Amino acid sequence: MKRFLILLFLLFSPPLHAALHERVVDYRAGNVLLKGYLVWDDAYGTKQPAVLVVHEWWGLNDYARERARMLAGLGYTALAVDMYGEGKSTEHASDASGFMNNVLEHADVARERFLAAKALLERQPMVDASKKTAAIGYCFGGATVLNMARQGVDLAAVASFHGNLATRTPAQPGAVKARVLVLNGADDSFITQDSIRAFEQEMQHAGADYRFINYPGAVHSFTNPDADRLGKANNMPLAYNAAADKASWEAMKQLFNGVFGR
């Protein structure tokens, strides 16, 4: 009887998970010190697919780190990228705008910092080197991962959550190697219908494997539970939308399942 009860316990108990490993990792792009956040869960084996997480214009904050932890909980080794240097973050729009523009004003800076993070992540011993890296991003980060795909960076997939769609350097035919997923708030005042049409025409012209999803009622920053507070503090049209947050995360999971089989 005792042996039978033990067998039932083993069959129906939830699996035991190893401890979540997380640490700040220093790396460089040019002369700039960058401080990323690396996280993985040993319960998913020693060779895991790798995913980069690119932050909103606020910088590498708790929200970006939480998304990296969520990815680790799905069996990925995740690196929350530092695009600003020294791990800077803010809750003030004027500072965020300055940080972001310091990156965007120099065409090669974003690419250099993204590639430095990608190289760091792919060197980690728990990462499966036989699989390409994926990337997700939010707002500024969403635009960043889209631009990396446009530039032909060797990625398995990218997912942009409420990211800017406009670009000065549209993808050329055959350039986009990654599968592209865009998750957009249908009521986002920062994203115009013209920019959506232009993006879809660009992807079609480039021959990209892409999917565009609009979430009715969702506005900018719809995945961030702090969006309402940050929007009010900065007089910006930001708001969290739980339904769109959940649906967009599930769409990302479906994409990654198709790419990585998990």
Side-chain angles (χ1 to χ4, degrees):
M1 182 65 176
K2 183 178 179 181
R3 189 172 298 173
F4 176 71
L5 291 174
I6 291 172
L7 179 61
L8 284 178
F9 176 81
L10 292 174
L11 285 174
F12 295 106
S13 295
L16 295 176
H17 286 267
L20 197 69
H21 299 273
E22 49 190 329
R23 64 171 183 256
V24 175
V25 287
D26 290 352
Y27 59 108
R28 288 187 175 273
N31 295 322
V32 177
L33 176 65
L34 304 164
K35 291 182 174 291
Y37 171 77
L38 181 69
V39 58
W40 73 99
D41 188 335
D42 280 343
Y44 292 95
T46 57
K47 294 299 177 183
Q48 303 175 4
V51 183
L52 295 160
V53 181
V54 187
H55 53 73
E56 297 178 284
W57 77 334
W58 308 114
L60 180 45
N61 55 15
D62 286 341
Y63 177 65
R65 287 188 284 269
E66 176 58 21
R67 289 297 179 179
R69 285 189 288 269
M70 290 172 69
L71 285 163
L74 297 174
Y76 303 101
T77 296
L79 177 67
V81 178
D82 175 13
M83 293 296 290
Y84 293 161
E86 299 288 350
K88 289 195 294 284
S89 67
T90 184
E91 291 193 347
H92 302 287
S94 58
D95 292 336
S97 179
F99 293 161
M100 181 182 71
N101 288 330
N102 282 339
V103 174
L104 297 181
E105 285 171 0
H106 306 283
D108 295 335
V109 169
R111 180 183 175 91
E112 182 182 37
R113 294 182 184 180
F114 182 89
L115 291 179
K118 181 174 181 286
L120 172 71
L121 180 56
E122 291 173 348
R123 289 196 301 269
Q124 301 306 310
M126 74 291 292
V127 166
D128 186 348
S130 71
K131 298 182 183 296
K132 293 182 180 180
T133 299
I136 70 172
Y138 296 85
C139 303
F140 159 77
T144 298
V145 301
L146 286 179
N147 284 332
M148 294 304 108
R150 285 174 166 120
Q151 294 172 27
V153 173
D154 197 16
L155 295 162
V158 299
S160 169
F161 296 80
H162 42 85
N164 188 6
L165 304 177
T167 181
R168 296 176 184 173
T169 54
Q172 298 303 305
V176 180
K177 301 173 184 176
R179 291 177 61 179
V180 175
L181 175 64
V182 174
L183 306 153
N184 187 66
D187 295 333
D188 188 338
S189 59
F190 294 107
I191 308 298
T192 66
Q193 290 302 309
D194 285 345
S195 70
I196 293 172
R197 282 192 292 270
F199 172 76
E200 294 196 304
Q201 289 171 2
E202 175 196 358
M203 291 294 104
Q204 291 162 13
H205 177 69
D209 180 350
Y210 84 100
R211 184 183 182 197
F212 183 92
I213 305 176
N214 248 346
Y215 295 102
V219 300
H220 198 67
S221 205
F222 63 82
T223 66
N224 189 339
D226 280 336
D228 298 81
R229 178 180 62 81
L230 291 167
K232 184 176 180 180
N234 291 280
N235 193 29
M236 296 178 65
L238 313 178
Y240 179 62
N241 184 307
D245 177 20
K246 181 179 179 180
S248 61
W249 189 253
E250 289 300 317
M252 179 214 72
K253 287 166 61 176
Q254 182 182 7
L255 170 67
F256 286 175
N257 182 59
V259 171
F260 297 121
R262 66 168 62 187

